[in-house]
Amino acid sequence: MARKAPISSKKRKSASRKKPPDAEVTAKEDFVWTRKDLLGLDELSPHEILHILDTAESFREVSTRSIKKVPALRGKVVGLLFFEDSTRTRMSFELAASRLSADTILFSAKGSSVSKGETTLDTVRNIEAMGVDVFVVRHSESGAPHLLARQVQASIVNAGDGAHEHPTQALLDIFTIRQKLGRLAGVKVAIVGDIAHSRVARSNILGLRKLGAEVTVVGPPTLVPNAITSMGCRVSHSLDDVLGEVDVINMLRIQFERFGGGLFPSLREYSRLYGLGGQRLAKCKNNVLIMHPGPINRGVELTSEVADGPNSCILRQVANGLAIRMAVLFLVSQR
Ligand code: CP
């Protein structure tokens, strides 16, 4: 029998009375999470996505308490496996596990026996033998968490695999949009930049479309594959053309580490056409939400004026990421 997220019965009653904000997809009251793993938004139903968002909503309150801890995962062990660099995702999962009273062990590929030729699977099986219940996995190879999920008993949470998916980033982005705008259905979202190499873009498109938002991807033809329209989004190669019509602009970093370079003439040229500064912001709706998954290349995709300005939700995204990751760790542990 799955346990409920630890919210007070008073709060639970008021949460269940509250009308869900999404007109087209509504949370099921009697929904029970059954998945062992969280590998991507591709495999999740709209109800599963909403269940994660609603569970995160109940965990958000924990971070406002003087003692920011609940015993939900006491006795469990969360292994943080980072085969690729990270600041936000790693620390957010580590803090989320700590707030749920789980023990954590941290693996970084740098300085590990990977340098002696140990495979990813052998590495994970050996760490699992120490009694790990949930692995949070970031890997530069697309599909690595999916392979591991088939080979180990522990739950696997994808913390970003190659250019494939970054489900918890998209969940925290979608949570932030719903929190700020009160709805998702019909919300117009532009995702701007290096779409071709972005796991954040893929997971956002999947999740937003499932919940009824409209998505336009924007970038130079070399960084926006035409096939992306099969995911149900529009393509534009002109940022100026979409500025005035969208409610949310999610600016992406150029993932040089995945292609090296040569896909546009220069950073200055890229920034002139696809960067967001004060002049472009002035053409947007007054209350447009400016998002970025981080890390930001200031002066390339965003000027500091915009990144740190009143429309920016960037630090709110990071704060919400903690609640999302608490929800995900909690849910995959309920089996
Ligand atoms: N947004 C994100 O995944 O950031 P990190 O690479 O720092 O984890």
Side-chain angles (χ1 to χ4, degrees):
M1 176 85 175
R3 278 181 281 157
K4 291 271 184 196
I7 53 176
S8 69
S9 58
K10 195 170 150 206
K11 281 212 165 85
R12 198 151 38 232
K13 273 185 203 144
S14 103
S16 64
R17 273 200 306 270
K18 211 167 69 181
K19 207 162 166 39
D22 310 310
E24 290 171 17
V25 188
T26 55
K28 282 184 182 161
E29 293 275 315
D30 56 351
F31 185 89
V32 177
W33 183 269
T34 55
R35 288 185 187 274
K36 163 183 169 285
D37 311 296
L38 180 73
L39 300 176
L41 295 199
D42 198 16
E43 65 188 12
L44 297 188
S45 69
H47 288 114
E48 286 174 305
I49 297 173
L50 284 180
H51 188 67
I52 298 172
L53 301 186
D54 292 344
T55 306
E57 196 62 64
S58 68
F59 277 121
R60 213 160 58 86
E61 181 268 334
V62 173
S63 294
T64 64
R65 298 180 189 171
S66 57
I67 297 174
K68 301 175 173 57
K69 240 179 165 72
V70 288
L73 296 192
R74 191 159 54 201
K76 302 268 187 191
V77 180
V78 176
L80 304 161
L81 306 183
F82 281 76
F83 292 88
E84 192 191 73
D85 294 345
S86 167
T87 298
R88 279 149 290 272
T89 312
R90 182 171 69 77
M91 300 194 79
S92 181
F93 268 114
E94 190 169 6
L95 189 55
S98 162
R99 295 231 163 134
L100 296 169
S101 305
D103 294 319
T104 53
I105 52 173
L106 174 63
F107 165 89
S108 297
K110 281 182 195 134
S112 77
S113 292
V114 167
S115 66
K116 301 172 197 164
E118 190 164 33
T119 65
T120 298
L121 184 54
D122 278 339
T123 301
V124 177
R125 277 194 175 138
N126 276 268
I127 300 172
E128 187 182 35
M130 298 174 198
V132 172
D133 300 288
V134 181
F135 283 114
V136 174
V137 181
R138 169 164 291 190
H139 207 288
S140 56
E141 294 294 328
S142 296
H146 305 68
L147 170 83
L148 294 172
R150 290 193 294 273
Q151 300 285 340
V152 301
Q153 298 294 313
S155 294
I156 301 288
V157 176
N158 182 357
D161 63 321
H164 180 222
E165 279 225 44
H166 192 347
T168 58
Q169 178 68 45
L171 287 165
L172 73 89
D173 293 342
I174 293 168
F175 184 92
T176 303
I177 295 171
R178 186 174 82 163
Q179 184 183 63
K180 296 289 276 185
L181 301 183
R183 69 195 165 94
L184 291 166
V187 170
K188 292 183 167 62
V189 181
I191 304 176
V192 182
D194 180 3
I195 308 298
H197 304 98
S198 175
R199 55 197 179 204
V200 174
R202 281 182 55 79
S203 290
N204 262 277
I205 295 167
L206 288 162
L208 286 165
R209 293 297 297 130
K210 285 181 187 197
L211 297 178
E214 296 174 27
V215 181
T216 304
V217 293
V218 185
T222 48
L223 293 178
V224 181
N226 280 331
I228 201 92
T229 53
S230 67
M231 297 178 75
C233 54
R234 286 197 311 150
V235 169
S236 172
H237 300 304
S238 166
L239 178 56
D240 290 314
D241 283 356
V242 304
L243 286 176
E245 65 188 44
V246 293
D247 306 300
V248 179
I249 304 179
N250 196 347
M251 302 296 292
L252 303 178
R253 183 177 66 86
I254 301 165
Q255 315 255 315
F256 281 114
E257 70 275 22
R258 304 203 196 285
F259 67 92
L263 294 181
F264 48 85
S266 67
L267 272 184
R268 182 195 286 251
E269 178 76 354
Y270 175 86
S271 184
R272 191 177 66 76
L273 292 171
Y274 296 104
L276 189 57
Q279 284 186 353
R280 284 207 165 105
L281 186 63
K283 296 180 188 164
C284 298
K285 293 182 182 177
N286 280 341
N287 57 352
V288 68
L289 305 183
I290 305 300
M291 307 179 81
H292 193 300
I296 302 172
N297 288 312
R298 286 177 184 262
V300 179
E301 60 265 17
L302 285 175
T303 63
S304 289
E305 177 191 6
V306 175
D308 305 326
N311 295 80
S312 172
C313 304
I314 295 169
L315 295 180
R316 175 73 75 102
Q317 289 170 261
V318 176
N320 286 337
L322 185 58
I324 286 290
R325 283 156 183 147
M326 288 173 78
V328 168
L329 291 176
F330 174 77
L331 290 170
V332 298
S333 300
Q334 308 306 299
R335 65 187 173 100

